[in-house]
Amino acid sequence: MIPLNITGHTVEKLEDPFGLLSGDRYEFFLDLDIDEEDELFSDKGVGLKVIFVVDQNEAKLSTYHFFEKGSEKVLDFALEEDEEELVLTYCKENAIE
């Protein structure tokens, strides 16, 4: 397994104008450094879009997908369990208040 390397991000707190959803939601765009040997590699670069939810004492990844930078094409890959934990920790540390 080639480790997931997060090199940067942008984050935005998502607003719920109708108050239908509980907790806070954040949209992360993570910049990834992907090894050329990895099947996920793209010359254009690869990112990971994550919807991160903080609800009372729980924080979780609601949804995510890999995308090719420039084309924004969604890539059909899933995070492995340890990678998901790494992304969750990263989002917890970088969510804006």
Side-chain angles (χ1 to χ4, degrees):
M1 182 194 102
I2 299 171
L4 187 65
N5 186 13
I6 301 170
T7 60
H9 73 278
T10 58
V11 61
E12 180 180 335
K13 186 173 182 180
L14 301 176
E15 299 300 325
D16 178 15
F18 301 105
L20 299 173
L21 304 170
S22 63
D24 294 324
R25 282 164 174 66
Y26 301 88
E27 181 179 55
F28 277 85
F29 288 93
L30 304 179
D31 299 319
L32 304 177
D33 181 22
I34 306 292
D35 188 280
E36 289 184 29
E37 300 298 317
D38 195 308
E39 62 184 328
L40 184 57
F41 178 80
S42 168
D43 288 333
K44 296 179 182 179
V46 174
L48 181 66
K49 178 182 177 181
V50 177
I51 302 298
F52 173 67
V53 179
V54 179
D55 189 8
Q56 294 175 0
N57 295 331
E58 181 184 22
K60 64 181 181 179
L61 304 181
S62 174
T63 185
Y64 67 85
H65 66 263
F66 289 97
F67 64 94
E68 182 179 64
K69 291 185 177 180
S71 71
E72 306 305 314
K73 176 183 167 192
V74 174
L75 304 174
D76 190 24
F77 289 91
L79 292 169
E80 294 182 12
E81 192 174 316
D82 57 334
E83 293 172 329
E84 199 168 310
E85 199 57 43
L86 176 95
V87 170
L88 178 61
T89 300
Y90 186 90
C91 290
K92 285 179 186 177
E93 294 172 355
N94 292 283
I96 54 177
E97 292 302 321

